[in-house]
Amino acid sequence: MSDGLASLAIASYGWAGIAAYPLTGPLLALRAAKGKEDRARRLERFGYPAADRPQGPLVWLHAASVGETLAVVPLMRELRRRDINVLLTTGTVTSAEIARFRLKDEVLHQYVPLDVKPAVRRFLDYWRPDVALSVESEIWPTTLMELHKRHIPQILVNARISDRSFERWQRHQSIAEALLGKLSLVIAQSDVDAERYRDLGAWPVIVSGNIKVDSDAPPCDPVVLDRYKQQIGNRKSWAAISTFEGEEKIATMVHRALRAHTGLLSVVVPRHPERSDEIEAMMVERGMKVARRTRNDPITPDTDILLGDTIGEMGLYLRLAEIAFVGRSLTAEGGQNPLEPAMLGCAVLSGPQVGNFRESYQRLVRNGNARIVRDAEMLAKAVHFLMTNDLARHKMIDAGMESMQEMRGALTATMKGLEPYINPLTVQARLEPRIVSQG
């Protein structure tokens, strides 16, 4: 649940009426997750465990979806390096698959319990976390209250708060203070985010930078990458990634406008792969020949678009292009993470609606790696310019690499902030085997 949705839910039912909130919380959560849940594991949403709790200290880390999960992979690995068990909860099948793909057996995974007392209490009774970490803007009122009652520290890491959510929280300042004041620590992405959390009643608040910058570049299968590169040959290519409804149509328009001049291949990666059938139908209707990754279709000389309809292969798609348009920025609001394309050597293009990643875009635009486009026509012109101007394209790519180096260090800052909570668990984890063997 985003901070904005929490604010709306509380505002709708009143602080005294948070007792009413549990009646709506599961409905909101289930509606939001419709079509995105693993039915075989639905009992986990009601707090029933599907794995054994390991012995020793355990940190519960909740990441709502794919972006948040990827952001904290280095943090989870650092906790495991200290011999601390990590329980990761997520809300969607996609994020669960990403966690399994990236982390394999390094951490335990469960679906997050619904924010109702029976589910949360059942979950906490079984897992008994020593510390609870939430990522970015995940604030669940019932869970927060239950953790506070049990004296379990809850810490918000890589925290951010959008303009809209901040305005909503401000309208209910007393509620915000009552909730956010129960957080043990907020580790914010930027000075702006930190100041907003302080204004809303959170304390203490420190700034780490964006931990996503410290993530490894998304991996790919080198055999598949080599095969696709051979099939593409000398053709020019660009990618439209993390696209939302309407942006695939814009990418298709860009392709139609440019293909006669450049003979390009377009790589389109929708944010929600389950929409791929309708996306392909739209593209075919507009005269495109589409290759789909899930069908393992080859890229032939007359292929117009490679439709990246798989999960966990962003590293593959971005390595096929040197220009990347990042979606949820023209036909939807908020933007998506521009750091991965910058990290993998792409010149970054985006629409203007990037409020969720403002700090990252400001840095990339200022350093010359990213450009903002207003509409489909401006996007087509930018793609054409970069595709036909090697010097300008490589200058943007180099600027992105430099920006990534400048922005690193958030993981170190985050771990330093967590030391008072994590260091005792490290000592406990490393002493327990000795104690057991002596017993």
Side-chain angles (χ1 to χ4, degrees):
M1 182 180 190
S2 70
D3 47 6
L5 187 54
S7 179
L8 286 176
I10 298 166
S12 299
Y13 296 95
W15 174 247
I18 276 209
Y21 167 76
L23 299 176
T24 61
L27 299 178
L28 289 168
L30 287 173
R31 186 177 300 166
K34 186 178 180 182
K36 301 177 185 178
E37 288 199 329
D38 183 344
R39 291 186 175 275
R41 296 177 59 183
R42 291 193 75 178
L43 283 178
E44 293 174 34
R45 299 303 304 272
F46 296 94
Y48 291 100
D52 294 331
R53 189 205 187 281
Q55 288 187 335
L58 181 142
V59 170
W60 170 27
L61 192 150
H62 175 61
S65 194
V66 174
E68 293 88 346
T69 302
L70 290 173
V72 292
V73 166
L75 175 57
M76 288 187 280
R77 285 181 170 151
E78 181 62 25
L79 292 171
R80 289 297 299 127
R81 190 182 68 80
R82 297 171 181 236
D83 298 323
I84 298 170
N85 298 303
V86 177
L87 171 66
L88 169 68
T89 59
T90 61
T92 65
V93 171
T94 306
S95 51
E97 290 177 352
I98 287 289
R100 184 168 59 249
F101 178 74
R102 284 289 185 95
L103 294 162
K104 297 184 171 58
D105 297 327
E106 291 181 63
V107 305
L108 294 160
H109 176 270
Q110 298 280 276
Y111 285 108
V112 66
L114 297 171
D115 197 45
V116 293
K117 284 184 179 179
V120 172
R121 287 176 175 174
R122 190 177 294 118
F123 178 90
L124 294 177
D125 286 344
Y126 181 81
W127 290 105
R128 306 185 312 280
D130 296 281
V131 176
L133 306 180
S134 296
V135 184
E136 294 199 359
S137 56
E138 285 294 292
I139 298 170
W140 291 87
T142 302
T143 301
L144 184 60
M145 302 297 285
E146 288 297 319
L147 287 166
H148 184 71
K149 287 178 185 176
R150 296 169 188 240
H151 305 289
I152 298 172
Q154 182 169 0
I155 300 166
L156 198 58
V157 299
N158 212 43
R160 63 176 176 83
I161 185 166
S162 67
D163 297 344
R164 181 179 297 179
S165 294
F166 182 55
E167 290 170 4
R168 287 173 174 173
W169 279 110
Q170 281 185 309
R171 290 199 292 268
H172 308 282
Q173 184 74 29
S174 61
I175 297 172
E177 291 176 359
L179 280 174
L180 299 182
K182 289 181 170 54
L183 292 169
S184 300
L185 174 65
V186 173
I187 304 177
Q189 291 187 19
S190 70
D191 291 330
V192 172
D193 293 310
E195 193 60 35
R196 287 177 172 180
Y197 275 104
R198 291 189 190 104
D199 287 347
L200 294 173
W203 188 265
V205 181
I206 64 174
V207 178
S208 66
N210 192 338
I211 203 170
K212 290 179 180 178
V213 183
D214 288 346
S215 301
D216 295 332
C220 76
D221 184 332
V223 175
V224 176
L225 176 63
D226 184 61
R227 183 173 75 241
Y228 274 141
K229 284 192 169 183
Q230 288 186 32
Q231 292 172 357
I232 294 170
N234 294 324
R235 294 176 67 184
K236 295 183 180 296
S237 59
W238 75 294
I241 66 168
S242 301
T243 55
F244 277 59
E245 186 171 358
E247 290 173 333
E248 297 88 10
K249 188 178 293 185
I250 290 173
T252 304
M253 292 167 58
V254 170
H255 181 88
R256 289 182 64 180
L258 300 183
R259 64 177 173 180
H261 304 289
T262 59
L264 84 163
L265 172 77
S266 297
V267 181
V268 179
V269 187
R271 177 66 178 79
H272 300 294
E274 62 269 18
R275 296 177 47 242
S276 294
D277 286 345
E278 68 178 75
I279 293 170
E280 181 183 25
M282 176 275 295
M283 291 173 170
V284 170
E285 185 180 338
R286 285 162 174 74
M288 301 293 108
K289 181 172 181 182
V290 180
R292 285 179 65 165
R293 174 74 182 112
T294 52
R295 291 196 299 247
N296 206 26
D297 294 337
I299 298 173
T300 61
D302 60 346
T303 298
D304 292 292
I305 296 172
L306 171 63
L307 185 55
D309 54 350
T310 55
I311 294 167
E313 290 195 304
M314 188 63 76
L316 169 66
Y317 303 128
L318 287 172
R319 285 178 172 88
L320 296 177
E322 289 187 330
I323 304 165
F325 165 76
V326 184
R328 198 183 179 183
S329 59
L330 278 177
T331 63
E333 295 183 2
Q336 291 290 108
N337 178 18
L339 300 178
E340 286 186 344
M343 193 181 299
L344 283 173
C346 290
V348 176
L349 302 173
S350 172
Q353 307 298 328
V354 295
N356 290 346
F357 296 90
R358 180 190 294 106
E359 186 86 4
S360 297
Y361 273 102
Q362 285 177 342
R363 178 72 67 92
L364 294 177
V365 169
R366 186 167 61 246
N367 288 1
N369 171 250
R371 295 184 181 180
I372 304 299
V373 299
R374 293 188 302 271
D375 51 31
E377 181 181 357
M378 193 172 175
L379 175 61
K381 289 179 179 178
V383 172
H384 181 262
F385 172 75
L386 291 172
M387 199 165 280
T388 55
N389 191 321
D390 293 345
L391 182 62
R393 186 175 70 255
H394 290 143
K395 188 175 180 180
M396 286 185 70
I397 290 169
D398 291 343
M401 297 295 189
E402 291 174 9
S403 296
M404 293 301 99
Q405 287 301 118
E406 290 175 8
M407 295 166 70
R408 289 187 183 276
L411 178 61
T412 300
T414 298
M415 291 306 300
K416 185 175 181 180
L418 292 176
E419 279 180 357
Y421 305 93
I422 299 303
N423 285 354
L425 302 184
T426 304
V427 173
Q428 180 187 343
R430 291 173 177 173
L431 281 178
E432 276 193 350
R434 192 179 309 164
I435 293 170
V436 171
S437 63
Q438 287 175 351

